[in-house]
Amino acid sequence: MPVRLLVVLGPQVLGVFLVILAITRNLQTTVLALAFLSACVYHFRITPVSEKAVEAVLGRSHVVGHRGASRQAPENTIAAFRTAKKNGADSVEFDLEYTKDGVPVLLHDDTVDRTTDGTGNIKDLTFAEVQQLDVTAKHPEASKFKGERIPTLEEVVKESLKLGMVMYIDVKRLPENSAETLLNLFQKYPDLYKSAVIVSFLPTVIYKIRSGDPDIVTALSWRPRYYSYDSVGGEPKYTQTWKHVLMSFWDIVYEYVLHYWLWYIEGISAVNMNNHCISREYVKFWSDRGCRMLVWTVNDQDEKNYFANTLDVIYMTDDLPPQS
């Protein structure tokens, strides 16, 4: 094990040892339990992508169009990605969803209500029905993008490869379906190994992807209180008190697991963090673990300069005005 990992993981191993010892009050049992846990970690751990392969992808990514240039064009559309490229982004982030008949398409929300002239949950609409929706209807610049529609995942991948952009493919649900879709896509388009990162809040998604193909670059997303609140400073996800308390407790547990064990087991190459919880120390924390830092969502110009020039991290932004 590299010295860096010994330094990073050593205190955590010692901490687990002391906790088990306090519970069992028996040194032999503690040693056996720790040996068993270590064997499990070793067995389930996936070796990270090589630094050279990670550099080939993340080394050329600096400014990411969040759902494309979503202030200048309808989000998660071909037009948004072309606009992002034109306005100076070298990368794009987009969200994977599925129609009722299993077609992988781009959509951020569970429903089409916010971004189109239609209503309903995407999982209840067929691809043919989705194609009838006007995805420009509620965008301020709608008149510039008439005829734009919700694209398929493959259409966007082909267009992004053509544009020479790094892709951050955000998976929010259906781990089994998404893993199968993405693993097949990487086989069909080998250039994705040098051009795409799979991103998710769900560790099951990342583990399934990396188990199926350990050469794929991945990033785990996180923000404080993800499981108990809708957003930073947002409303609770659950109205029942017991559920809210339970998920608040899980947030505490998961925060520890992510920061001290999960990154190692899954062999991730980067973390995707909310801009409200970034500092020099936090960037160094992840750098010490061999993980690059992605930050979302950064729309203020001073913030952009700070993240890019002072912290030297990759940032995602909705706002990509035309370059002067």
Side-chain angles (χ1 to χ4, degrees), residues 181-202:
T181 296
L182 293 168
L183 290 171
N184 289 337
L185 202 62
F186 271 75
Q187 291 302 307
K188 186 173 182 179
Y189 299 98
D191 284 345
L192 285 174
Y193 288 100
K194 300 179 290 184
S195 306
V197 182
I198 308 303
V199 182
S200 184
F201 277 98
L202 307 177

Side-chain angles (χ1 to χ4, degrees), residues 83-293:
T83 302
K85 174 69 173 181
K86 180 182 177 182
N87 292 359
D90 49 45
S91 314
V92 287
E93 180 268 355
F94 48 84
D95 305 284
L96 174 61
E97 257 296 351
Y98 287 88
T99 61
K100 182 179 180 180
D101 44 349
V103 178
V105 296
L106 266 60
L107 190 73
H108 177 269
D109 301 356
D110 294 333
T111 73
V112 298
D113 299 36
R114 180 177 62 85
T115 55
T116 77
D117 59 347
T119 59
N121 198 302
I122 185 70
K123 68 180 181 182
D124 297 325
L125 300 172
T126 65
F127 180 63
E129 291 171 327
V130 167
Q131 290 296 280
Q132 301 304 311
L133 301 175
D134 181 2
V135 76
T136 71
K138 296 178 181 177
H139 195 275
E141 304 290 343
S143 60
K144 297 180 181 179
F145 302 101
K146 290 299 182 183
E148 202 68 26
R149 57 187 174 79
I150 293 177
T152 66
L153 173 64
E154 188 164 4
E155 286 175 332
V156 170
V157 165
K158 290 167 69 175
E159 181 65 23
S160 298
L161 287 173
K162 180 180 174 182
L163 293 170
M165 305 188 83
V166 173
M167 290 163 265
Y168 294 88
I169 306 174
D170 194 348
V171 181
K172 291 182 167 60
R173 66 185 189 96
L174 299 176
E176 294 283 354
N177 300 48
S178 300
E180 182 180 0
T181 296
L182 293 168
L183 290 171
N184 289 337
L185 202 62
F186 271 75
Q187 291 302 307
K188 186 173 182 179
Y189 299 98
D191 284 345
L192 285 174
Y193 288 100
K194 300 179 290 184
S195 306
V197 182
I198 308 303
V199 182
S200 184
F201 277 98
L202 307 177
T204 50
V205 170
I206 301 301
Y207 197 81
K208 286 181 183 297
I209 291 289
R210 301 224 61 243
S211 296
D213 191 339
D215 292 328
I216 294 177
V217 178
T218 57
L220 266 172
S221 298
W222 181 78
R223 64 164 172 80
R225 304 193 298 179
Y226 171 74
Y227 288 98
S228 55
Y229 286 85
D230 283 328
S231 60
V232 177
E235 295 295 319
K237 287 185 177 181
Y238 303 96
T239 55
Q240 301 99 318
T241 301
W242 71 270
K243 278 189 178 180
H244 178 68
V245 171
L246 179 63
M247 297 317 292
S248 295
F249 175 72
W250 174 243
D251 271 325
I252 296 170
V253 174
Y254 182 72
E255 181 175 346
Y256 173 82
V257 171
L258 167 65
H259 286 77
Y260 294 103
W261 295 102
L262 190 58
W263 65 272
Y264 178 75
I265 294 170
E266 298 209 323
I268 58 173
S269 303
V271 287
N272 181 34
M273 299 296 180
N274 183 267
N275 62 323
H276 294 294
C277 56
I278 307 300
S279 65
R280 290 177 187 270
E281 293 75 19
Y282 197 49
V283 173
K284 184 179 184 303
F285 175 92
W286 284 110
S287 178
D288 288 344
R289 285 153 178 77
C291 295
R292 310 283 182 103
M293 175 73 75

